[in-house]
Amino acid sequence: MSVSLKVNLLGKEMAGPVVGASGTFGFGKEYAGMVDLKKLGGISGKGITLIPKAGNQGERLLETPSGLINSIGLQNPGVQHFIDHELPVMETLGTTIWANLGGGCIEDYEKGAELLNPTSVDFVELNISCPNVKQGGIAYGIKAESAKEVVSRVRAVCKKPLIVKLSPQAEDICQMAAACVEAGADALSLVNTFQACAIDLEKRRPVFNNIFAGLSGPAIKPIALRMVYQVCGAVNVPVIGLGGILTGADALEFIMAGATAVQVGTANFMNPRACETITDEIAAWMEAHGVETLDEIRGCARV
Amino acid sequence: MSVSLKVNLLGKEMAGPVVGASGTFGFGKEYAGMVDLKKLGGISGKGITLIPKAGNQGERLLETPSGLINSIGLQNPGVQHFIDHELPVMETLGTTIWANLGGGCIEDYEKGAELLNPTSVDFVELNISCPNVKQGGIAYGIKAESAKEVVSRVRAVCKKPLIVKLSPQAEDICQMAAACVEAGADALSLVNTFQACAIDLEKRRPVFNNIFAGLSGPAIKPIALRMVYQVCGAVNVPVIGLGGILTGADALEFIMAGATAVQVGTANFMNPRACETITDEIAAWMEAHGVETLDEIRGCARV
Amino acid sequence: MPVIACDVKVLEHQRLTDTIRLMTVSWPRRDKAPKAGQFFMLRCWPADVAPVLSRPISVHSYDPELATLDFLYEVRGKGTEKLAALVPGDTLSLVGPAGNGFNVAEAAGKRVALVGGGIGTAPLYQLAKELCEAGTKADYFCGFRDEPYGMDRFTQVCGKVQLATDSGRFGFHGFVTQLLKPEEYDLVLCCGPEPMMRAVAKLCDAVGTRCIVSLERKMACGIGACLGCTCHTETGGRCVCKEGPVFDSKEVFGA
Amino acid sequence: MPVIACDVKVLEHQRLTDTIRLMTVSWPRRDKAPKAGQFFMLRCWPADVAPVLSRPISVHSYDPELATLDFLYEVRGKGTEKLAALVPGDTLSLVGPAGNGFNVAEAAGKRVALVGGGIGTAPLYQLAKELCEAGTKADYFCGFRDEPYGMDRFTQVCGKVQLATDSGRFGFHGFVTQLLKPEEYDLVLCCGPEPMMRAVAKLCDAVGTRCIVSLERKMACGIGACLGCTCHTETGGRCVCKEGPVFDSKEVFGA
Ligand SMILES: Cc1cc2nc3c(=O)[nH]c(=O)nc-3n(C[C@H](O)[C@H](O)[C@H](O)COP(=O)(O)OP(=O)(O)OC[C@H]3O[C@@H](n4cnc5c(N)ncnc54)[C@H](O)[C@@H]3O)c2cc1C
Ligand SMILES: Cc1cc2nc3c(=O)[nH]c(=O)nc-3n(C[C@H](O)[C@H](O)[C@H](O)COP(=O)(O)OP(=O)(O)OC[C@H]3O[C@@H](n4cnc5c(N)ncnc54)[C@H](O)[C@@H]3O)c2cc1C
Ligand SMILES: Cc1cc2nc3c(=O)[nH]c(=O)nc-3n(C[C@H](O)[C@H](O)[C@H](O)COP(=O)(O)O)c2cc1C
Ligand SMILES: Cc1cc2nc3c(=O)[nH]c(=O)nc-3n(C[C@H](O)[C@H](O)[C@H](O)COP(=O)(O)O)c2cc1C
Ligand code: FES
Ligand code: FES
């Protein structure tokens, strides 16, 4: 039997359903010596903003049971630097390029999107869900109306396929999803990290300078999968599912819930070859179960 | 140094800060051969409803990374049966008695609370947050206005100290907390389980008949702690923190975030002596750090 | 009588087949002597290590003189794999004895058949022993997929011993249900895969023989505290870990 | 040159003190020869087992002829405890060689002091070896809380070797900073606890001696992909795992 892992996302063909998640996969080249990047569906680069950001002070990482809390705070060299220095390398990696665009104010989102228009970027993934920055992060990810505003403004200037990345913090994830689609999102990706907290008993203060930071990893998978299941039922655009995926079986759960593709984040730190391993495991499962294409099983678990 | 673990909750003295969480601790007697129940702050019995409930069909339990998904669905023998058959035994256990009251419609909540008025129950813990029942569960736990209605109606008839148990699904946990206090809650407990999903790859359908079920255990602790931290800043009533507590250190994080007491649920399945072990670990930490009473450290990590 | 939590020592650990192990542990609590059909929640990994839940395993044999317990178990997944790695001298945490167990007094003096399928034979050995001590030698019918295990022990405490295998490599080629003639017995006590127990119950029903079954459910607490193990019946839910795992087949499968 | 992921075999594992271990593993990839100051991300537990993150450990020694790597490490918590349980023949997963490493070419021919504090001495041995090969015998100053370890190796590849301990049980009673006279050197290369490195940098600054330090940060990826290890400096963030861990002290501590 010949298994095809190909996925067509908004008219672009991807070699497989697994995309490296933003913030965990650098700009791709870091993994080139470990992962056969051509097998991946794509790489979502580290979140970029119009104005470069230094990121957060203080602790940035904390391990939790089956999870990881991070407080990177969108440290990045800015959109223009990305275009000049990172993108040319990404172009050589043989997979689709996702520019994960964060913002400060709406104008910054707009300008960032405009800068990306003439580039080789395949998808713009609009990050309205970073819990680690005060402005332009989670602020837009909670209330559907705020999201709608930023998405429609970016949509108006963005000539690339526009994927909006949702926060699990949204008041109502289905309403949020519908609002983003109404505002012009071509696809949705979810979830970003969950706002979380940890306290340092010895210092008797929060571990993170911002008090709260973002939880990711296998711990959150059951909640992420629930949200993806719900959103796939609420909108008619492709949904990219993520949150805690560590195995091919995890990825297949998201696909059976209706996801077009998946992203893999924290798992890259648990196994640097995770994106490839997961891709191979999906293929092996399909082989063993006589499934030739992902279309045969996408959404099959929906009741 | 002499350490005191005593906690005064709404005028009642509890021997320690650790309370067995509803649904994981039976009605207490099940653990009597394993745990020195007199060391506990209290026992929150299995959720009861006016009308007995058979609970959910199909799978009820699923292990996840550092977590547990359950779909019990409030199986219980009804409030009157609780009063007649379980309460007399609970009275002999030497700790405070929390009646975890679920409901169908608001009238059922009211009638249940009325039945509990003349009993020996120390606290009524109003469960407006069960994700496993369609009616009277999570429905009231999402929107602050719905919660406000049910809480104020119960408050009007309930003569016991009234603790409202919040869902992490609330649209805005601080607003929700404030609404419940405004409606007359004497204290708040949070969090209940997170709505989650799992898919059975072989059957190609959701594991649980209700599609979604409730995630608990150490996996959720960082999110639960964040919500407790937020709620402690949003209201002026005692907050009982729970969600994933497995160690004394976990419990101390909640207390340093401002919690008056904590509850321990899933950990009882990981170590049947968990409530006592955690209590002892808290005492050992206090001893080692020269902390004589929990009042000295409660909320100390708030910035 | 509330269950207790106890750390015990592994005394012996034998590999009976590729996947079947027989583990002997100390059980110093003579005041908490387990009986046939009861089980323990086993754990040999820290609270914060996967799997989250402890694993229920039946009492295969209890020796009150040596104060030892035997567990006969099949290595299926993460939990039993961790058990299988134990070596003599290691510590195992037990919660139990849990569950109702078989009613041996009721069975004594009757014509009794024990019917086991695969690892479902585990609790039947202690049951056969207790029946034997009560003066009743039960007949033992067992079915395995291919390779049988643990059978020799039964011959000493049972009457007739009959074996069926799906593969036909050992004993009768077919299902154990083809060997059993329930009309020859007053009582059939059964443990195995649920479809097999349902088939046995049906055969018994047809001739009016009482059939007792021991159910399996996923369990979180094992002591009646979580309601995760409920078996739905026509007359309401039954808590398998506490009201069971042993039930009249009519109660749980209907008549 | 992108880092690689490689499963290697543990060849030897020695206990030097209660908490210090020296582990030798095979490193078959001669084309990816690690150099002094570089490190690897180590993991010997499955992806789904705690701790979530792999652990960064420096190259203590690389032997290109035997194709072996030594790690000198201190058992601190969960991760290093798991490493400590490895026995010869076990498999260890490595990601690396990561980081920039020391600039040996620049140091060669100069008057060089190596200053190590506790387990911070780990990367200095490979550095001393490489300097020695380049014709420069560095002086070695090391400080330990109480019991020193790994010192004998240094005598062969260094000039002067000076020891200080906080307890005074061995060598000079006091801090290693009390022994170092930075004015006698062109270059001081330093690895140890951050307060000690800051103190050394300050001494060097005062006399205009260049000071190079190797920083430690919690790391998730170890390869520049997550930005979890950033060191904030006056001129912006530095990625310790990729742009470092070796920096000019002025760059990271200010002047
Ligand atoms: C009262 C009772 C007595 C039992 N006695 C024995 C015995 O004597 N010997 C024996 O080998 N087995 C016995 N079992 C079954 C045993 O508990 C399971 O085989 C074991 O829990 C599987 O765990 P695992 O981690 O190895 O496999 P997993 O990977 O968890 O699962 C393998 C299979 O076992 C099922 N399973 C998982 N957890 C449980 C659980 N807690 N309870 C029941 N089934 C589960 C799963 O659904 C799956 O089909 C008994 C079960 C019960 C309820
Ligand atoms: C580039 C680099 C090279 C290193 N080389 C060596 C070496 O050669 N020998 C050696 O013994 N140690 C070395 N370390 C330190 C070593 O990584 C930590 O001691 C180890 O990660 C602790 O893990 P643990 O699980 O045993 O302890 P934990 O229980 O995780 O923590 C114990 C202490 O170590 C700190 N820590 C935890 N994780 C990390 C991490 N990923 N990076 C840095 N610190 C951490 C914690 O904050 C805590 O203070 C190096 C660190 C870095 C960054
Ligand atoms: C260290 C780290 C940095 C991240 N940075 C970004 C980012 O810049 N932009 C973004 O959209 N998401 C970011 N995320 C979120 C991930 O892309 C992903 O949504 C989340 O981690 C959940 O997936 P996972 O459980 O597979 O990691 C980051 C996550 C981690 C762990
Ligand atoms: C099996 C199970 C049954 C539960 N039943 C109830 C219930 O009846 N009422 C209720 O308020 N919460 C119930 N809960 C939620 C717990 O009380 C607790 O809020 C939740 O599990 C989070 O805490 P934990 O992570 O310590 O378990 C149940 C949880 C579990 C795991
Ligand atoms: S397993 Fe908890 S009630 Fe039976
Ligand atoms: S540890 Fe990931 S960038 Fe340095």
Tab-separated table of all heavy atoms in Angstrom, chain C residues 118-138:
chain	number	residue	atom	x	y	z
C	118	GLY	N	-8.534	-17.195	30.173
C	118	GLY	CA	-7.272	-16.455	30.158
C	118	GLY	C	-6.870	-16.029	31.550
C	118	GLY	O	-6.950	-16.802	32.506
C	119	ILE	N	-6.481	-14.762	31.656
C	119	ILE	CA	-6.000	-14.268	32.944
C	119	ILE	C	-7.139	-14.203	33.957
C	119	ILE	O	-6.913	-14.059	35.164
C	119	ILE	CB	-5.289	-12.907	32.772
C	119	ILE	CG1	-4.495	-12.547	34.025
C	119	ILE	CG2	-6.268	-11.812	32.396
C	119	ILE	CD1	-3.388	-13.529	34.363
C	120	GLY	N	-8.377	-14.376	33.484
C	120	GLY	CA	-9.536	-14.474	34.376
C	120	GLY	C	-9.461	-15.677	35.304
C	120	GLY	O	-10.222	-15.788	36.268
C	121	THR	N	-8.536	-16.586	35.020
C	121	THR	CA	-8.358	-17.719	35.946
C	121	THR	C	-7.681	-17.277	37.239
C	121	THR	O	-7.711	-18.019	38.228
C	121	THR	CB	-7.483	-18.810	35.292
C	121	THR	OG1	-6.243	-18.225	34.845
C	121	THR	CG2	-8.174	-19.445	34.089
C	122	ALA	N	-7.069	-16.083	37.234
C	122	ALA	CA	-6.276	-15.647	38.389
C	122	ALA	C	-7.005	-15.784	39.726
C	122	ALA	O	-6.483	-16.412	40.643
C	122	ALA	CB	-5.755	-14.228	38.170
C	123	PRO	N	-8.199	-15.214	39.864
C	123	PRO	CA	-8.847	-15.289	41.186
C	123	PRO	C	-9.422	-16.666	41.503
C	123	PRO	O	-9.773	-16.944	42.648
C	123	PRO	CB	-9.971	-14.251	41.096
C	123	PRO	CG	-10.238	-14.099	39.640
C	123	PRO	CD	-8.948	-14.363	38.927
C	124	LEU	N	-9.525	-17.543	40.508
C	124	LEU	CA	-10.224	-18.811	40.722
C	124	LEU	C	-9.407	-19.792	41.564
C	124	LEU	O	-9.963	-20.699	42.191
C	124	LEU	CB	-10.611	-19.443	39.379
C	124	LEU	CG	-11.554	-18.585	38.520
C	124	LEU	CD1	-11.927	-19.322	37.227
C	124	LEU	CD2	-12.821	-18.223	39.304
C	125	TYR	N	-8.090	-19.630	41.580
C	125	TYR	CA	-7.292	-20.569	42.349
C	125	TYR	C	-7.533	-20.399	43.849
C	125	TYR	O	-7.770	-21.369	44.575
C	125	TYR	CB	-5.800	-20.426	42.026
C	125	TYR	CG	-4.955	-21.313	42.892
C	125	TYR	CD1	-5.148	-22.700	42.908
C	125	TYR	CD2	-3.990	-20.778	43.740
C	125	TYR	CE1	-4.395	-23.514	43.741
C	125	TYR	CE2	-3.242	-21.586	44.567
C	125	TYR	CZ	-3.446	-22.946	44.567
C	125	TYR	OH	-2.708	-23.755	45.399
C	126	GLN	N	-7.532	-19.164	44.315
C	126	GLN	CA	-7.827	-18.922	45.733
C	126	GLN	C	-9.245	-19.397	46.047
C	126	GLN	O	-9.498	-19.979	47.111
C	126	GLN	CB	-7.675	-17.426	46.057
C	126	GLN	CG	-8.062	-17.009	47.473
C	126	GLN	CD	-7.162	-17.602	48.544
C	126	GLN	OE1	-6.065	-18.065	48.265
C	126	GLN	NE2	-7.669	-17.646	49.774
C	127	LEU	N	-10.132	-19.214	45.083
C	127	LEU	CA	-11.514	-19.655	45.264
C	127	LEU	C	-11.573	-21.177	45.376
C	127	LEU	O	-12.233	-21.727	46.285
C	127	LEU	CB	-12.357	-19.156	44.081
C	127	LEU	CG	-13.813	-19.587	44.039
C	127	LEU	CD1	-14.564	-19.143	45.294
C	127	LEU	CD2	-14.504	-19.005	42.797
C	128	ALA	N	-10.868	-21.861	44.487
C	128	ALA	CA	-10.859	-23.334	44.531
C	128	ALA	C	-10.300	-23.811	45.863
C	128	ALA	O	-10.817	-24.759	46.470
C	128	ALA	CB	-10.023	-23.877	43.365
C	129	LYS	N	-9.240	-23.135	46.330
C	129	LYS	CA	-8.645	-23.510	47.617
C	129	LYS	C	-9.649	-23.362	48.753
C	129	LYS	O	-9.808	-24.255	49.590
C	129	LYS	CB	-7.435	-22.605	47.919
C	129	LYS	CG	-6.163	-23.007	47.244
C	129	LYS	CD	-4.929	-22.446	47.980
C	129	LYS	CE	-5.106	-20.991	48.375
C	129	LYS	NZ	-3.952	-20.445	49.100
C	130	GLU	N	-10.338	-22.210	48.777
C	130	GLU	CA	-11.282	-21.963	49.875
C	130	GLU	C	-12.440	-22.951	49.828
C	130	GLU	O	-12.913	-23.441	50.862
C	130	GLU	CB	-11.793	-20.517	49.843
C	130	GLU	CG	-10.705	-19.519	50.228
C	130	GLU	CD	-11.204	-18.069	50.265
C	130	GLU	OE1	-12.429	-17.846	50.317
C	130	GLU	OE2	-10.351	-17.162	50.228
C	131	LEU	N	-12.890	-23.263	48.593
C	131	LEU	CA	-13.978	-24.246	48.449
C	131	LEU	C	-13.499	-25.605	48.938
C	131	LEU	O	-14.222	-26.322	49.653
C	131	LEU	CB	-14.403	-24.346	46.981
C	131	LEU	CG	-15.284	-23.208	46.460
C	131	LEU	CD1	-15.410	-23.266	44.937
C	131	LEU	CD2	-16.668	-23.273	47.108
C	132	CYS	N	-12.301	-25.955	48.578
C	132	CYS	CA	-11.734	-27.233	48.958
C	132	CYS	C	-11.653	-27.336	50.482
C	132	CYS	O	-12.040	-28.352	51.082
C	132	CYS	CB	-10.362	-27.377	48.317
C	132	CYS	SG	-9.581	-28.967	48.581
C	133	GLU	N	-11.186	-26.263	51.106
C	133	GLU	CA	-11.125	-26.243	52.575
C	133	GLU	C	-12.504	-26.375	53.179
C	133	GLU	O	-12.675	-26.979	54.237
C	133	GLU	CB	-10.506	-24.916	53.060
C	133	GLU	CG	-8.985	-24.976	53.145
C	133	GLU	CD	-8.367	-23.589	53.167
C	133	GLU	OE1	-8.948	-22.682	53.809
C	133	GLU	OE2	-7.316	-23.404	52.504
C	134	ALA	N	-13.520	-25.858	52.493
C	134	ALA	CA	-14.902	-25.950	52.966
C	134	ALA	C	-15.515	-27.282	52.571
C	134	ALA	O	-16.723	-27.483	52.738
C	134	ALA	CB	-15.717	-24.788	52.411
C	135	GLY	N	-14.709	-28.175	51.992
C	135	GLY	CA	-15.181	-29.527	51.702
C	135	GLY	C	-15.748	-29.733	50.315
C	135	GLY	O	-16.293	-30.797	50.007
C	136	THR	N	-15.626	-28.738	49.461
C	136	THR	CA	-16.218	-28.843	48.126
C	136	THR	C	-15.152	-28.813	47.047
C	136	THR	O	-14.446	-27.809	46.911
C	136	THR	CB	-17.197	-27.674	47.883
C	136	THR	OG1	-18.221	-27.732	48.856
C	136	THR	CG2	-17.800	-27.759	46.488
C	137	LYS	N	-14.999	-29.901	46.329
C	137	LYS	CA	-14.068	-29.882	45.202
C	137	LYS	C	-14.825	-29.486	43.943
C	137	LYS	O	-15.650	-30.222	43.425
C	137	LYS	CB	-13.418	-31.260	45.023
C	137	LYS	CG	-12.343	-31.542	46.072
C	137	LYS	CD	-11.144	-32.272	45.476
C	137	LYS	CE	-10.010	-32.311	46.502
C	137	LYS	NZ	-8.773	-32.868	45.959
C	138	ALA	N	-14.536	-28.295	43.470
C	138	ALA	CA	-15.221	-27.789	42.293
C	138	ALA	C	-14.579	-28.362	41.031
C	138	ALA	O	-13.400	-28.710	41.034
C	138	ALA	CB	-15.146	-26.268	42.262
